[in-house]
Amino acid sequence: MSAKYIVPRETCDMLNVDYDVVVVGGGHAGVEAASAAARLGKTTLLVTMNLQTIAQMSCNPAMGGIAKGQILREIDALGGVSALVADKTAIQFRMLNRSKGPAMWSPRVQSDRMRYAEEMRLTLERTPKLDFFQDMVTDLEVEKGKVVGVSTSMGVKIPARKVILTNGTFLNGLIHIGDKQFGGGRSGERASKGITERLVDLGFEAGRMKTGTPPRVDGRSLDYSKMEEQRGDEYPGKFSYSSESTTLIKQRSCYITYTNEQVHEALKEGFDRSPMFNGAIDSTGPRYCPSVEEKINRFAHKNRHQIFVEPEGWETVEVYVNGFSTSLPEEVQARALRLIPGFENAKIFRPGYAIEYDYFPPTQLFHSLETRLVDGLYFAGQINGTTGYEEAACQGLMAGINAARSIDELEAVILDRSEAYIGVLIDDLIQKGTKEPYRMFTSRAEYRIILRQDNADERLTPKGYEIGLIDEGRWKDFQEKQSKTEFLQNWFTNHSIERDEANAVLKRHGLSQVNQKLKIAKLLARPQLGVRSFMHYKPLKDVVDKHNIKAENLEQAEIALKYAGYIGKEKENASKLSRLESLSIPKGLDYSKLASMSLEAREKLGKLKPSNIKEAKAISGVSPADISVLLVYMGR
């Protein structure tokens, strides 16, 4: 490596390696970044303050969920590792939103918290060219506007051609429990010092955000008979497209209970000591995952709020109280918690708390996640103002890919909004920024019908293979799956079912009869019917057995046939909107007349007066629906 990229060799005797990529932080962004860079052939070092907490699930023990499940499948389709680890350590699988259209279906697994971290650690240890070092990075080595390494609290200087910061909630982290405050990146772990100050010296703008976590309790002290049992799916799926993981044979149940007015009154007694209300916390928290005290204050008309009781693993008795995030004093937490049905005798393992931390507005980045101010320096995860494991992991993956490609002088991989939720997330961050913890929702994406969880591999695995993260085995499996799915679509389109057999299916579903034989595809167009409705049909059973057709092939073929018109229209709209980005907006347009547009969008567009559609799309608070209203008004 050329000397111009590194600090002097004598400063790095402890490690004795010139690294291509140094990743700072071992959370969900860090592990994906380090894995990607190393697997793309770059000598990579993961520096973290505690090697025992790599990929720690700091909040709830689960992966996926609404929109997050789509992101996790996209990570897997590109060749990331989180989905595979989630499958291997899952204790329950559910496909959320099955009652809605397939664009809204979102996979979620309840995870074994300890096993997830262990399996991720072992996965990384099996990765060639990936090294580990336990220390706190306190400074960046920058020469002539280019990062050349990092320095640690022990005085070790580590040369690197690229540096990826994935610091999570650790940058000057401050934990709040009632009127108590203490430094920390997580409960029981120290905060990270030095990096914020160095970045500010380099010219970066910094801000503060806040998040929180609920108490954890002893499951042996709970009365589950007073709660609603929430089982996993009868036919569980999995996240990864890889054959390395399998579906669950047995599952653990979660439970649901509710707060009540007595709980709310007990919580209110501690409001005068709440850092949320007494001014101790003035940073912005996640709008869509508020603390329980925020919920009862903001939604005073509601007399109860849902609580999800989630086991933390197969064997442990520790339970996560999802929906009860709080920073109230410990005694207030305990008193209110024991008024919830089933929690009368609850024993608390760990109290809930809020944490404030530094972040850097992501408008300071390129779409590659490289910073605009310092060459070779990348940010990923909560340092960019996001919240959630999946949002962090996908940023880490893209930062690792792009850092490695930059060393080889290859073009950065930038995913379009019509290609992936990952593309939506990064584009939102770079173009609009965020002043509150950013969480992905399906409503943020213009092209939800295209960006489904079932077709993430179809959208992104060819790109992952081209990049070099999808190996030949996975590529062969992908091609075989696509071939089978296409074969099924053709079979359903061309195969006719006799009238009597069709009517037998229709009768079972209480549908009107037909008087002639029909193509199965035509019957599948009926919303009440699906592929499972025909699984008793011998010709289909024979095809499934003969060609070793899997459930995922049947599901994808069904969706493609049922929603072909919608999918085609959305692809056309994506192409059209891309062409219309340069369309000029008339000067002096009175946005107040656009009643179908959100009030926030009308106000911001009227104030900022964008000159074209691309500029309008980039304004925070202007949604895809608002842009559609604008285009209709302009006659386009």
Side-chain angles (χ1 to χ4, degrees), residues 25 86 132 147 159 167 209 241 323 336 366 422 445 501 510 519 596 612:
F132 305 85
V147 72
N167 303 83
M209 281 190 176
Y241 295 99
F366 295 109
I422 298 173
E501 291 181 296
K519 305 293 186 189
S596 298
N612 57 43

Side-chain angles (χ1 to χ4, degrees), residues 31-239:
V31 296
E32 286 289 359
S35 171
R39 288 160 59 216
L40 290 176
K42 306 307 167 197
T43 53
T44 304
L45 179 69
L46 177 61
V47 186
T48 182
M49 292 163 59
N50 186 352
L51 287 172
Q52 304 309 312
T53 56
I54 285 177
Q56 174 96 319
M57 288 180 154
S58 307
C59 200
N60 64 318
M63 295 293 284
I66 306 302
K68 294 169 177 282
Q70 283 87 328
I71 289 177
L72 200 60
R73 285 212 147 181
E74 290 175 355
I75 290 171
D76 184 72
L78 284 167
V81 293
S82 297
L84 193 56
V85 173
D87 282 344
K88 290 180 178 180
T89 58
I91 64 175
Q92 186 194 87
F93 180 94
R94 293 181 67 221
M95 185 66 77
L96 307 183
N97 281 343
R98 274 285 193 185
S99 61
K100 300 180 181 179
M104 306 298 289
W105 297 353
S106 301
R108 182 185 188 272
V109 295
Q110 196 69 30
S111 300
D112 188 309
R113 184 190 299 276
M114 291 184 287
R115 291 185 182 180
Y116 183 93
E118 178 189 38
E119 181 61 30
M120 184 63 81
R121 166 77 179 263
L122 296 176
T123 298
L124 296 181
E125 289 185 359
R126 291 191 290 265
T127 305
K129 297 201 173 188
L130 178 54
D131 294 341
F132 305 85
F133 189 61
Q134 181 170 290
D135 200 354
M136 180 195 296
V137 170
T138 55
D139 200 1
L140 299 170
E141 302 292 331
V142 178
E143 295 179 2
K144 297 179 181 179
K146 181 188 294 289
V147 72
V148 294
V150 299
S151 298
T152 74
S153 62
M154 292 196 299
V156 179
K157 293 186 185 295
I158 307 168
R161 299 175 70 178
K162 308 290 176 184
V163 173
I164 305 174
L165 296 182
T166 69
N167 303 83
T169 60
F170 282 77
L171 293 180
N172 293 323
L174 182 64
I175 291 174
H176 299 263
I177 303 177
D179 44 20
K180 300 173 185 174
Q181 298 179 3
F182 48 93
R186 276 190 296 244
S187 181
E189 297 182 62
R190 57 182 175 159
S192 174
K193 306 289 186 180
I195 290 180
T196 292
E197 295 72 18
R198 175 60 164 148
L199 290 171
V200 170
D201 286 344
L202 289 167
F204 287 90
E205 176 193 350
R208 294 283 277 178
M209 281 190 176
K210 166 253 169 188
T211 190
T213 192
R216 274 70 158 180
V217 302
D218 186 337
R220 297 169 298 184
S221 66
L222 303 182
D223 184 353
Y224 294 103
S225 68
K226 296 181 179 180
M227 308 178 196
E228 302 169 20
E229 185 175 10
Q230 188 179 53
R231 298 175 179 270
D233 286 351
E234 183 180 0
Y235 302 102
K238 64 190 187 84
F239 267 116

Side-chain angles (χ1 to χ4, degrees), residues 572-627:
E572 182 183 339
N573 286 342
S575 176
K576 183 178 180 180
L577 189 56
S578 179
R579 295 194 304 270
L580 289 174
E581 282 191 341
S582 60
L583 186 66
S584 296
I585 298 174
K587 290 182 179 180
L589 176 60
D590 186 358
Y591 292 98
S592 65
K593 293 181 178 179
L594 307 186
S596 298
M597 187 179 283
S598 70
L599 178 61
E600 182 182 5
R602 278 180 274 164
E603 289 176 349
K604 289 189 173 180
L605 288 167
K607 180 180 178 181
L608 298 174
K609 296 179 173 59
S611 62
N612 57 43
I613 295 297
K614 185 174 183 179
E615 290 179 8
K617 285 175 62 180
I619 297 172
S620 178
V622 177
S623 72
D626 295 322
I627 296 297

